[in-house]
Amino acid sequence: MFPVLQIGPLAIQTYPLALLLAGWAALAIAARGAQRQGLDGDHLYNLGLYGFLAGVVAARIGHVITYWSSYRGQLLEIFGFNTQAFLLWPGLAAGLLVAGWYVRRHRLPLARVLDAAAPGVLVGVAIAGVGALLAGRFPGAAADLPWSVDLWGVRRHPSQLYEAAAALVAAAFAARAQRGGARPGAAALIALLGYGLGRWLLEPFRAESAVILGGLRLAQVLGLAASLAALWGLARQRMAHLTPSGSSSPEVSARTSGEGDGG
Amino acid sequence: MSRIRWNILLALVALVGAAWIWVNRLPDAGAAAVSAAGLPPAPAIGHPAPDFTLVDVAGEPVTLTALRGQPVVLNFWATWCPPCRAELPELQAASERLRGQVAIIGVNQVEAAERVRSFAADLALTFTMPLDERGQVSRAYNVRSLPTTFFIDRNGVIRRIQSGALTEATLAQALESVYP
C-alpha cells in the first residue's frame, strides 16, 4: 500500500490526492454532460465550486461549535489551516443547500442538472475507491482468494475495487440513459439505483462498517433505501408516460433499455 | 411493464435486499475488541498496536502492553519538526488534564537523549518520552511523516491515526475514539 507518495522531498498523501482527482474528473465529465443536456457547462463548475466552498466553511464552523471549549482560548485556530478540523455532515448539508440555491437562482432545470452530474459523480466515486485501495483506507474483509490483496499481514477482499467497478457500471448505465434522451431525471435515478445497489451488495466485503439497530450495516440499509426510492421514481415516470396514450417510440426504447439494465 | 409488475419488482428488491442485509449483520458494538483479537499487530485501525519496550528520557523502561486497561495516545515526534513543536504543548496540557485516565506517550524519533532532555525542559514537557534511538519502533508503526499520532483503546487496539499537528480541538475530537 502507498498511503504517502514520495516525490523527491515532497510527501503527498495518496487518498486526499485521489479525492482531488476524483472531484476534478467528476466536474469535467459533468460539464460535458451538461452540454449534452443543453445546459451551460460553466454552471456545473460553479455548482461544484460554490458547493465545495460552502461545505468547507460549514464543516469548520461545525467543528468550532462542537469543540468550542477547545477554541475559546485560541480564536485564531478557527481560521487555521488544519485539514483535520472539519466535520463531515454540516459540510455536506451546506454544500447541498448552496448548490440547491444556485440551481434556483439561475432557474436551472433540476432534473437535467442531476442527469448531467450523475455519471461524473460516479466516475469520481470510482477514482476515490482506487485511491482508497492504494492508501489502505476502508480495508476489505479477510479472504484468501486468488485476487486478494495483502494488507497489514492479512489477505483481504479488494473491496474498494469492487465498489469502484460497481460505480463505473452504474455510471455507464446513467451515461447511456443521458445520451439516449431519456426523460428528465431518469439518468440520475438510474445512477442512484446503481450506486445504492452497489453499496447494498458490496458493503459486507468491507472489514469495518458503521452499524445501527443490533448490527445492521448502515451503508447497506441506506443503499437499499436509495435503490428502492430510485426504482419507485423510475416506475412512476414510466407509469405517467404510459397512461395518457401510446408513446413515441424512440424515447420508449431508450428508456426501456435504461430501466431494464438498472433493475 | 404494468403497474402490477413494477410493484412486484419493488417488493422483490425490498425482500431480497432485507435478506442480504440480515445475513450480513455484524455482532453489535463491544465485539469490536474480540474481532481484533484474530488480527496480527499492525499500524492500522482495528489492529492490535505493535508492542515495544524503549527507555525514556528519565532512563525508565516503557512497555506499551504494560499500559493495557488505559487508553494510550502514542505520538511520534522530533525536535527539528516545527508542527511537532506546535502540538507538544497540547499533548502536555492533555497529559495534565487526563492524568491517570489516558496515557500520553511521545516517542522521539532517532535523537540523542541529551538533546531531547533539554528540548523538553525548554518547553516544560513532563509526559513520558521514550527514545526510539535506532528508529525500529517508528518503522514498526510505518511512520512516514512527523508528527503522527496513534489513538489506542483500553484493549490495545488502534482506533484512530492522525498525521499532522494536533490542535486542542482535533485532539479532543480524536480522543473521543478511545476515551468517550
Side-chain angles (χ1 to χ4, degrees), chain A residues 133-203:
Chain A
L133 179 73
L134 290 177
R137 297 256 181 149
F138 313 122
D144 202 2
L145 298 162
W147 59 87
S148 287
V149 291
D150 197 272
L151 185 57
W152 307 310
V154 179
R155 289 184 50 78
R156 301 163 183 274
H157 282 290
S159 56
Q160 303 96 327
L161 285 190
Y162 302 168
E163 288 176 25
L168 282 183
V169 171
F173 280 126
R176 215 170 83 170
Q178 196 193 68
R179 278 164 211 236
R183 317 209 112 204
L189 286 173
I190 287 166
L192 185 65
L193 175 65
Y195 181 70
L197 284 179
R199 287 308 296 269
W200 160 77
L201 185 70
L202 299 172
E203 182 73 13

Side-chain angles (χ1 to χ4, degrees), chain A residues 13 63 67 70-71 74 77 82 84 87 152 154 156 200-201 204 208 211 214-215 217 220 224 235 239 259, chain B residues 1-3 6 10 17-18 20-21 24-26 28 40 42 44-45 47 90 162-163 167-170 173 176:
Chain A
Q13 296 211 15
H63 200 266
Y67 300 99
S70 301
Y71 281 96
Q74 34 196 343
E77 278 296 331
N82 187 330
Q84 312 281 356
L87 284 192
W152 307 310
V154 179
R156 301 163 183 274
W200 160 77
L201 185 70
E208 296 152 16
V211 296
R217 295 178 197 245
Q220 277 195 303
L224 182 62
M239 290 298 125
E259 165 267 307
Chain B
M1 267 201 305
S2 70
R3 183 178 295 271
W6 272 108
L10 273 165
W20 179 244
I21 291 174
N24 287 291
R25 70 193 184 283
L26 286 167
D28 219 344
I45 292 168
H47 283 247
E90 297 302 345
Q162 197 119 332
S163 56
T167 61
E168 189 181 337
T170 52
Q173 183 185 15
E176 285 172 358

